[in-house]
Amino acid sequence: MSRSLRRGSLAAIAAIAIASLSACAAGNNAETLEVKPDNTSVTLGTDLRLNNIVVVTGDETSGEHTGPANVTVNISNTGAEPAKLESISVEGGGTATLTDPSGAPLKELIIKPGDAVLLGGPGQPTARLASATLQVGGFVPTTFAFEKAGQVQAEAAVYANFGYYKGFGPTPTPSAPASPAAGTASPAAAPSPTAGATATAGAKPTGPAASGSPTASGSPIAAAH
């Protein structure tokens, strides 16, 4: 091999090495590369497909999570009839509560024929677990139950409310207004219109009684002669 060819080969190898190091420095995770994670997908019968099944925890990025969590999944229905999702259960977290985009409870989630529904994320229906013990970065058995199609189980990936899934995690539950602390003085009551007008027991009214005014028994008092 000539000297010029050897120099060209060495330059090409160096360029490839530099490019590889640059890619490593930038990071190879899904967020950096803007690649949607390839998560679990399952089918139920011939009409239902559940794509990208994930349980999203809080903001921690690793370790064990104990607390609220959301289930996110894209459900498509290629059949001729509506499909009704009745419940979602997660091992270690119980049954999720289904709500519409406004937060109102749902008894079931309906997927129209030829349509798809994203469960989870801003402006979408949600499936919230009140409390679950999960390993962030692991997988958890998750069961979906439909009215007619039956049940299907999948190993849902567990991700934190971070990166691609930012905004898919559980939102804080609004707290009730705090009650006044013990010993705090309550607001003063408004004065009664009759305050100070109550006669003292045994005191006689001043001035002559008006003629014809009723007595306590209801009979009028005779006019004085």
Side-chain angles (χ1 to χ4, degrees), residues 133-153:
T133 300
L134 306 162
Q135 188 69 32
V136 179
F139 292 85
V140 61
T142 304
T143 303
F144 299 84
F146 292 83
E147 183 183 55
K148 294 182 179 179
Q151 297 184 356
V152 62
Q153 188 179 84

Side-chain angles (χ1 to χ4, degrees), residues 52-225:
N52 201 34
I53 304 170
V54 175
V55 178
V56 186
T57 65
D59 294 335
E60 64 274 80
T61 56
S62 63
E64 187 175 86
H65 165 86
T66 299
N70 284 353
V71 180
T72 178
V73 58
N74 189 297
I75 307 174
S76 61
N77 176 18
T78 58
E81 296 183 0
K84 296 181 181 180
L85 174 65
E86 294 184 317
S87 67
I88 301 175
S89 301
V90 175
E91 186 175 287
T95 302
T97 300
L98 299 175
T99 61
D100 68 11
S102 68
L106 289 174
K107 295 180 65 175
E108 57 192 15
L109 182 68
I110 300 177
I111 304 95
K112 298 178 181 178
D115 200 1
V117 172
L118 173 63
L119 190 60
Q124 303 295 333
T126 62
R128 178 185 173 92
L129 299 166
S131 182
T133 300
L134 306 162
Q135 188 69 32
V136 179
F139 292 85
V140 61
T142 304
T143 303
F144 299 84
F146 292 83
E147 183 183 55
K148 294 182 179 179
Q151 297 184 356
V152 62
Q153 188 179 84
E155 292 290 322
V158 181
Y159 288 113
N161 183 40
F162 178 79
Y164 184 83
Y165 289 101
K166 185 67 176 178
F168 282 75
T171 55
T173 303
S175 57
S179 57
T184 303
S186 58
S192 169
T194 58
T198 304
T200 305
K204 297 181 179 180
T206 58
S211 174
S213 61
T215 63
S217 62
S219 60
I221 301 175
H225 293 289

Side-chain angles (χ1 to χ4, degrees), residues 1-7 9:
M1 181 183 291
S2 67
R3 184 175 298 175
S4 60
L5 288 176
R6 285 199 300 271
R7 283 199 299 267
S9 299

